């Protein structure tokens, strides 16, 4: 044990400095994690509301909806009826009355729900957790330094994100309701309030995303600087753990991509408030709606890789550790990520195949998009190669790692259908896309996030998460996830459009009612399964079994730091002697050799 | 499996789309089974067993080259088969010339306006006919559509034709198709266009030539 030789850098700090306006990268990381989990529930709740509408169109919601007698005859039967009675009698236009009279979701509100669901999940859940939480917590610890290069910027990054979230949630409560033009905010629907009736909601959406953009920008500068300048002695670039590589690449993508979105949002705000016409074509001239799409997707495609690369990084940590084997093809893993990040800049047109972009561009973008399958395949094969002849431990983080790989395979393969322009003519804007998105972002990124939380929890909070609960959560999530999203491929093949509030309005979709009900029931199961995770998370923070310093016997530097990790992380900055994945080295007694263990040290059997 | 869910195809180019759809379906199914099958075999075979240590394998350059090359080749072959289909559907220079029918279709919140140029074949003249949500065309005839919108972006989608194209304000996008079977098909709007997006729906009426002629007779006696 090395614990006792670490001098504690902790000095007494006030509660506010320590937990709220903290400069410590670990605290900021945990703040981002809790922030992301809270927003995960907001975003998930919105999804359950609109899933109800899709399964039971125009029927009142359960529990808060009015009874049929009340709707038909005005007869108060249930408690909910009494609530509605009160709402209708009051002179004020109550929020509930406007968005879901008697518990029936209006088409306007439906559009707000899916718009905000996607916006929140992408910008306020997955990015804050992957980049904000794991990035902040792991980067200094894994490269062996005491903190981020710019702690004050780091704190700013978090509090800007909080401000952005407040502005975003406020949008629901302004007159006219929230943004309802989709998370992609296509102009001119988004650029002129006359088309949606949404006034300040959409402005707040844009302002909030601008704030979130600044937060990411500040964070990314910090990450890049820290990784380039502050690695521990011996920590060469090619000795960095893959999760650090992924965060490094993602920080560069964020730095380059977010300003594009920010400028598009600024132009959008001008269009809405100052009467410019950047994104609307008028008979007298003006701009072009396609300009918005080009700007949005020039940002948006790199953004989707921002959502997945850190997930790939996390999986690349979990799989070697629990296979007790080096990662297969370390360098090819790094080059594949760089290739994905690079190709990510020249594929944005695949979102615009049917948009009216010149048809010749379709051929170009199809080719580049399908090429992304190559580095994706390389990564998948390397994960399999890592398990080959390993000694696989089925811990809960590993289960998530395996789920990540298998779900990412499905998401990557469904990408080929849509990258193929002739097939995309048919499946564009159908549920096939929705299935694809969720296989990569939920099946991919979120499983990696869950695995990462359980894996690093002992380092974050000094305790284990309850394993029985974690396992129940995993299996429920895995099954309910597939029941929810796999059938969406079938809906897509049946040409079920996305973003429609009531599929029963279409003759050719009549046969899908049962499937929509099944999906909704699975979605509710999926939603409730997440309560287990959150309960486990907060309960284990205080009541979990105390964890030792390196419970999973991992080589990377974060496990050299004592648990709980003190301010300043390491007593003495470790020196790095080898790569991060030296597991089961022949001739060694122990099946792992920490990166910081000096050369030719007598083999130890771990802690 | 796929055919069970795909609506019937009734356009000349639809068969090409369906063929690619099927090809990709089989390709991805095989890849999926191989990858997941391998994964499952590995998970069982290489699970932790007392006293057995993992093998120290850092990678294999040969394998990396093999699978990089193999996926690249597959991807390019697939692309080669797809270019002509795409051009056939969407490239205006490759549309069949001399259309039998030309119609202007214009999206507006939340309807499709179909404008027929009438006997003089010119838009903007007195004999134009505007129909709300009803498009009439003869079977086995080349139809050209001038697609546009008066407000936001809509998307002209006829699942049975395997045809989708966004309609943009202030732009005329040319679209073509040739329907191979008479019938009445729905034309949903596929791009979010506002609160009435759900339910924005037109109909494509594909008539036999005789019926179509009769319909024309009736409109422009
Ligand atoms: C092999 C890799 C992939 C390929 C070939 C691919 C291809 C595509 C294509 C062609 C579309 C547009 C489809 C359409 O709108 O008609 C699309 C949409 C999308 N993809 Fe992927 N994709 C891949 C991986 C990913 C990953 C890793 C993510 C995110 C983590 C992702 C997230 C998305 C999202 C969010 C959309 C939908 C955006 C929207 O319209 O709302 N994709 N993908
Ligand atoms: Cu994309």
């Amino acid at each position: 044990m090395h614990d006792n030789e670490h001098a504690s850098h902790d000095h007494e700090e006030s509660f506010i400095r320590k937990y709220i306006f903290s400069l410590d990268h670990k605290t900021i990381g945990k703040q981002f994690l809790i922030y992301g989990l809270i927003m995960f529930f907001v975003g998930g709740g919105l999804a359950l509301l609109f899933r109800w509408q899709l399964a039971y169109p125009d029927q009142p919601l359960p529990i808060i909806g009015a009874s049929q007698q009340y709707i038909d005859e005005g007869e108060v039967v249930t408690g909910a009826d009494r609530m509605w009675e009160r709402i209708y009698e009051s002179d004020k236009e109550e929020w509930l009355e406007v968005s879901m009279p008697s518990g029936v979701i209006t088409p306007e509100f439906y559009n707000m729900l899916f718009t905000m669901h996607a916006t929140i999940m992408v910008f306020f859940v997955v990015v804050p957790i992957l980049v904000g939480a794991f990035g902040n917590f792991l980067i200094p610890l894994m490269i062996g330094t005491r903190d981020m290069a710019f702690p004050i910027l780091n704190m700013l990054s978090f509090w800007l994100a909080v401000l952005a979230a407040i502005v975003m949630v406020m949008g629901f409560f302004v007159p006219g309701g929230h943004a309802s033009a989709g998370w992609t905010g296509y102009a001119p629907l988004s650029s002129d309030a006359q088309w949606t009736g949404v006034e300040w909601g959409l402005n707040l959406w844009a302002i909030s995303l601008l704030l979130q953009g600044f937060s990411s920008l500040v964070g990314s500068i910090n990450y890049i600087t820290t990784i380039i300048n502050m690695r521990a002695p011996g920590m060469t670039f090619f000795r960095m753990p893959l999760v650090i590589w992924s965060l490094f690449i993602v920080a560069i993508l964020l730095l380059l991509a977010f300003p594009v979105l920010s400028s598009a949002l600024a132009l959008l705000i001008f269009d809405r408030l100052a009467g410019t016409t950047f994104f609307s074509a008028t008979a007298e001239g003006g701009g072009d709606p396609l300009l918005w799409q080009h700007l949005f997707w020039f940002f948006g495609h790199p953004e989707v890789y921002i959502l997945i690369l850190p997930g790939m990084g996390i999986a690349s940590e979990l799989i070697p550790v629990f296979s007790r084997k080096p990662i297969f093809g370390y360098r090819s893993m790094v080059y594949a990520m760089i290739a994905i990040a690079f190709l990510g800049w020249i594929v944005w047109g695949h979102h615009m195949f049917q948009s009216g972009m010149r048809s010749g561009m379709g051929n170009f973008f199809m080719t580049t998009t399908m090429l992304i399958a190559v580095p994706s395949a390389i990564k998948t094969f390397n994960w399999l190669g890592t398990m080959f002849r390993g000694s696989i431990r089925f811990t809960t983080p590993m289960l998530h790692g395996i789920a990540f790989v298998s779900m990412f395979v499905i998401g990557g393969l469904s990408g080929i259908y849509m990258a193929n322009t002739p097939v995309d003519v048919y499946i564009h804007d159908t549920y096939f896309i929705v299935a694809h998105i969720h296989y990569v972002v939920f099946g991919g990124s979120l499983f990696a996030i869950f695995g990462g939380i359980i894996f690093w929890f002992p380092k974050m909070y000094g305790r284990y998460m309850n394993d029985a609960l974690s396992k129940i959560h995993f299996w429920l999530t895995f099954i309910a996830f597939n029941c929810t999203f796999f059938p969406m491929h079938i809906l897509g093949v049946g040409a079920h459009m996305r973003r429609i509030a009531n599929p029963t309005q279409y003759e050719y979709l009549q046969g899908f009612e049962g499937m929509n009900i099944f999906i909704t029931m699975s979605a509710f199961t999926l939603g409730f399964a997440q309560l287990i995770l959150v309960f486990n998370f907060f309960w284990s923070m205080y009541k979990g079994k105390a964890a030792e310093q390196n419970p999973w016997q991992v080589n990377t530097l974060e496990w050299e730091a004592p648990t709980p990790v003190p301010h300043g992380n390491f007593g003495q900055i470790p020196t790095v002697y080898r790569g991060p994945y030296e597991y089961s080295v022949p001739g060694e007694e122990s099946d792992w050799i920490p990166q910081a263990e000096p050369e030719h040290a007598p083999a130890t059997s771990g802690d | 499996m796929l055919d069970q869910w795909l609506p019937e195809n009734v356009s000349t180019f639809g068969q090409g789309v369906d063929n690619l759809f099927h090809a990709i379906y089989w390709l991805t199914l095989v890849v999926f089974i191989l990858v997941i099958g391998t994964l499952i075999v590995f998970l069982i075979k290489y699970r932790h067993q007392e006293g057995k240590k993992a093998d120290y394998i850092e990678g294999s350059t040969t394998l990396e080259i093999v699978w990089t090359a193999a996926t690249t080749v597959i991807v390019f072959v697939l692309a080669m088969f797809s270019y002509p289909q795409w051009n056939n559907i969407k490239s205006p220079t490759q549309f069949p010339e001399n259309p039998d029918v030309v119609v202007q279709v214009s999206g507006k919140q939340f309807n499709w306006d179909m404008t027929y140029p009438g006997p003089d074949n010119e838009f903007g003249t007195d004999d134009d006919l505007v129909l709300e949500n009803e498009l009439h065309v003869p079977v086995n005839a080349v139809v050209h559509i001038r697609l546009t919108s008066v407000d936001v972006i809509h998307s002209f989608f006829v699942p049975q034709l395997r045809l989708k194209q966004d309609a943009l304000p202030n732009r005329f996008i040319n679209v073509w198709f040739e329907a191979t079977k008479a019938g009445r098909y729905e034309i949903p709007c596929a791009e979010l266009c506002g609160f009435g997006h759900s339910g924005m729906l037109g109909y494509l009426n594909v008539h036999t030539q005789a019926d179509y002629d009769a319909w024309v007779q009736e409109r422009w006696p």
Side-chain angles (χ1 to χ4, degrees):
Chain A
M1 297 293 286
H2 337 248
D3 282 32
N4 34 12
E5 62 195 59
H6 287 279
S8 170
H9 286 249
D10 245 334
H11 37 92
E12 278 311 308
E13 287 173 313
S14 69
F15 178 83
I16 292 195
R17 291 297 282 173
K18 195 159 175 198
Y19 294 106
I20 301 186
F21 295 107
S22 170
L23 296 177
D24 186 311
H25 73 98
K26 299 178 293 294
T27 308
I28 296 174
K30 293 180 208 170
Q31 285 173 328
F32 265 118
L33 182 55
I34 290 168
Y35 166 101
L37 288 176
I38 292 171
M39 295 307 280
F40 183 46
F41 274 82
V42 177
L46 301 177
L48 295 187
L49 285 176
F50 68 68
R51 265 324 311 180
W52 173 267
Q53 161 70 17
L54 281 166
Y56 306 104
D58 300 342
Q59 291 181 32
L61 287 159
I63 305 171
I64 63 162
S67 68
Q68 207 55 48
Q69 284 103 307
Y70 180 71
I71 293 174
D72 295 340
E73 287 142 41
E75 184 189 337
V76 174
V77 197
T78 63
D81 294 347
R82 254 191 304 283
M83 177 185 83
W84 287 108
E85 185 85 351
R86 223 176 317 112
I87 288 174
Y88 291 133
E89 276 167 6
S90 91
D91 295 329
K92 272 204 329 223
E93 280 259 286
E94 300 237 10
W95 185 77
L96 278 176
E97 182 179 356
V98 179
S99 50
M100 41 173 122
S102 300
V104 178
I105 292 166
T106 64
E108 289 88 342
F109 190 55
Y110 179 87
N111 291 356
M112 294 169 204
L113 287 174
F114 70 70
T115 299
M116 294 321 299
H117 162 71
T119 302
I120 287 177
M121 287 301 190
V122 169
F123 295 99
F124 293 84
V125 178
V126 177
V127 175
I129 296 185
L130 279 178
V131 182
F134 287 117
N136 266 311
F137 189 80
L138 294 178
I139 290 173
L141 280 169
M142 288 182 104
I143 66 172
T145 185
R146 298 195 187 282
D147 208 314
M148 284 287 183
F150 310 115
I152 294 183
L153 281 189
N154 211 11
M155 177 182 78
L156 184 70
S157 159
F158 176 70
W159 287 102
L160 271 173
V162 171
L163 187 62
I166 292 171
V167 173
M168 192 55 92
V169 172
M170 256 167 45
F172 272 111
F173 304 103
V174 293
H178 214 325
S180 60
W183 80 283
T184 51
Y186 277 15
L189 191 65
S190 59
S191 64
D192 192 333
Q194 66 168 309
W195 306 128
T196 51
V198 174
E199 298 274 352
W200 267 92
L202 213 142
N203 299 344
L204 291 178
W205 175 84
I207 290 167
S208 163
L209 290 183
L210 275 174
L211 290 169
Q212 196 72 332
F214 282 122
S215 157
S216 291
L217 205 62
V218 170
S220 62
I221 293 169
N222 215 343
Y223 292 2
I224 295 170
T225 315
T226 308
I227 293 175
I228 293 182
N229 286 329
M230 297 170 65
R231 281 165 291 127
M235 178 63 87
T236 59
F237 271 103
F238 282 112
R239 280 180 182 170
M240 289 196 318
L242 287 170
V243 71
I244 300 302
W245 264 108
S246 73
L247 289 163
F248 183 49
I249 294 169
V250 158
I252 297 171
L253 289 181
L254 277 171
L255 184 70
L256 300 176
F258 249 107
V260 180
L261 178 68
S262 301
S263 34
L265 290 167
L267 298 182
L268 185 72
I269 291 175
F270 286 142
D271 270 11
R272 291 180 63 85
L273 295 180
T276 56
T277 56
F278 289 108
F279 300 127
S280 45
T282 60
E284 301 84 59
D288 189 331
L290 285 189
L291 174 62
W292 168 266
Q293 294 185 26
H294 280 293
L295 291 175
F296 184 85
W297 289 118
F298 190 70
F299 147 80
H301 195 86
E303 167 75 12
V304 307
Y305 289 130
I306 292 166
L307 301 176
I308 196 73
L309 283 170
M312 293 175 163
I314 291 173
S316 306
E317 300 305 316
L318 300 178
I319 292 171
V321 168
F322 295 110
S323 303
R324 309 310 290 166
K325 258 195 68 191
I327 189 95
F328 195 90
Y330 172 87
R331 288 207 180 208
S332 94
M333 287 303 243
V334 175
Y335 296 139
M337 284 197 280
I338 295 175
I340 289 175
F342 175 75
L343 284 172
W345 293 102
I346 51 169
V347 299
W348 80 93
H350 65 216
H351 297 274
M352 300 172 61
F353 287 143
Q354 321 313 331
S355 69
M357 179 177 70
R358 257 182 72 122
S359 66
M361 299 305 286
N363 291 323
F364 170 77
F365 283 118
M366 162 165 58
T367 315
T368 52
T369 303
M370 294 214 291
L371 269 179
I372 293 201
V374 177
S376 308
I378 294 174
K379 297 202 72 84
T380 307
F381 294 142
N382 281 332
W383 286 316
L384 290 182
T386 307
M387 293 183 234
F388 173 66
R389 299 218 186 166
S391 173
I392 300 171
R393 326 281 155 116
F394 293 99
T395 58
T396 321
M398 182 62 171
L399 294 180
H400 284 93
I402 296 165
F404 170 91
V405 174
S406 39
M407 297 301 97
F408 176 72
V409 167
I410 298 181
L413 290 175
S414 67
I416 311 258
Y417 290 75
M418 303 178 305
N420 192 269
T421 45
V423 177
D424 188 67
V425 173
Y426 179 70
I427 57 177
H428 175 68
D429 267 330
T430 67
Y431 264 84
F432 202 90
I433 313 298
V434 182
H436 165 73
I437 301 171
H438 289 89
Y439 267 90
V440 280
V441 184
F442 198 135
S445 316
L446 267 176
F447 273 110
I449 286 174
F450 296 152
I453 291 177
I454 300 166
F455 182 68
W456 280 294
F457 195 86
K459 199 41 89 184
M460 289 182 174
Y461 296 103
R463 295 174 184 278
Y464 289 102
M465 282 176 72
N466 181 298
D467 195 51
L469 285 179
S470 296
K471 282 220 161 67
I472 295 172
H473 165 257
F474 170 78
W475 285 110
L476 269 179
T477 305
F478 187 75
I479 294 167
F481 164 78
N482 280 290
C483 290
T484 306
F485 295 107
F486 197 83
M488 292 189 185
H489 292 107
I490 300 174
L491 295 183
V493 173
H496 190 312
M497 282 85 60
R498 64 195 285 206
R499 296 175 172 175
I500 53 171
N502 186 352
T504 61
Q505 289 166 311
Y506 304 84
E507 196 109 2
Y508 74 99
L509 296 179
Q510 297 301 327
F512 285 124
E513 209 178 324
M515 199 174 282
N516 266 325
I517 293 176
F518 176 75
I519 290 175
T520 294
M521 296 198 304
S522 310
F524 273 83
T525 314
L526 185 59
F528 285 110
Q530 305 319 308
L531 293 176
I532 303 175
L533 175 84
V534 167
F535 169 77
N536 192 357
F537 184 88
F538 288 105
W539 184 83
S540 303
M541 233 149 110
Y542 299 102
K543 296 279 168 65
K545 193 165 104 212
E548 54 270 44
Q549 186 187 335
N550 190 351
W552 318 106
Q553 307 191 326
V554 189
N555 289 341
T556 43
L557 295 185
E558 76 275 29
W559 305 97
E560 298 288 325
T563 299
V565 190
H567 200 66
N569 300 344
F570 303 96
Q572 201 182 4
I573 292 294
T575 303
V576 174
Y577 296 94
R578 58 181 65 73
Y581 304 112
E582 294 298 292
Y583 294 101
S584 303
V585 178
E588 294 284 334
E589 196 184 316
S590 144
D591 69 353
W592 56 298
I593 317 176
Q595 286 191 279
E597 187 157 303
E599 218 66 64
H600 306 301
T604 60
S605 57
D607 280 350
Chain B
M1 268 302 276
L2 211 48
D3 289 313
Q4 194 181 333
W5 304 104
L6 267 176
E8 184 187 12
N9 160 53
V10 302
S11 78
T12 48
F13 52 61
Q15 197 54 50
V17 172
D18 285 3
N19 291 344
L20 278 169
F21 211 152
H22 281 88
I24 299 172
Y25 174 71
W26 287 111
L27 174 71
T28 51
L29 190 67
V30 169
V31 172
F32 175 75
I33 290 173
L34 285 179
V35 171
I36 300 298
T38 312
L39 176 66
I40 292 172
V41 170
F42 284 5
L43 292 181
I44 296 169
K45 200 156 164 213
Y46 304 120
R47 68 187 185 279
H48 170 60
Q49 282 156 316
E50 262 337 299
K52 232 171 116 184
K53 220 169 137 177
D55 281 1
Y56 183 83
I57 309 170
E58 283 185 290
S60 152
T61 314
T62 325
L63 274 179
E64 302 286 349
I65 293 172
V66 168
W67 57 51
T68 307
T71 24
T72 313
V73 170
I74 294 174
V75 159
F76 272 105
V77 171
L78 189 56
M80 296 309 264
F81 280 104
S82 310
Y83 299 137
Q85 298 297 337
W86 168 253
N87 292 338
N88 183 20
I89 302 172
K90 292 275 172 132
S91 172
T93 54
Q94 299 196 18
F95 288 2
E97 285 169 19
N98 305 321
D100 300 293
V101 180
V102 179
V103 196
Q104 177 175 311
V105 175
S106 177
K108 75 163 193 256
Q109 286 185 332
F110 299 100
N111 285 298
W112 295 110
D113 278 347
M114 322 289 188
T115 310
Y116 285 80
D120 68 354
N121 260 327
E122 262 183 62
F123 288 104
T125 50
D126 283 346
D127 63 350
D128 285 9
L129 172 71
V130 183
L131 296 174
E132 198 165 80
N133 291 329
E134 297 287 338
L135 183 60
H136 297 268
V137 302
V139 72
N140 297 326
V142 173
V143 179
H144 278 199
I145 289 178
R146 289 176 17 140
L147 188 61
T148 188
S149 160
V150 299
D151 40 39
V152 299
I153 298 177
H154 302 273
S155 191
F156 182 84
F157 182 26
V158 186
Q160 288 84 352
L161 294 179
R162 310 290 188 262
L163 175 61
K164 183 181 291 121
Q165 175 61 55
D166 287 4
L168 299 174
N170 255 291
R171 245 188 226 231
F172 291 90
I173 297 173
N174 286 314
V175 181
W176 83 279
F177 66 85
E178 180 178 335
T180 56
K181 190 175 164 194
R184 187 170 156 87
Y185 308 101
E186 282 165 298
I187 314 175
C189 170
E191 183 68 65
L192 176 66
C193 60
F195 64 85
H197 169 58
S198 186
M200 172 167 170
L201 188 58
Y203 293 91
L204 168 68
N205 301 281
V206 180
H207 302 285
T208 60
Q209 191 64 47
D211 284 356
Y212 182 73
D213 291 340
W215 180 79
V216 171
Q217 258 314 302
E218 203 181 303
R219 300 289 145 156
W220 292 278

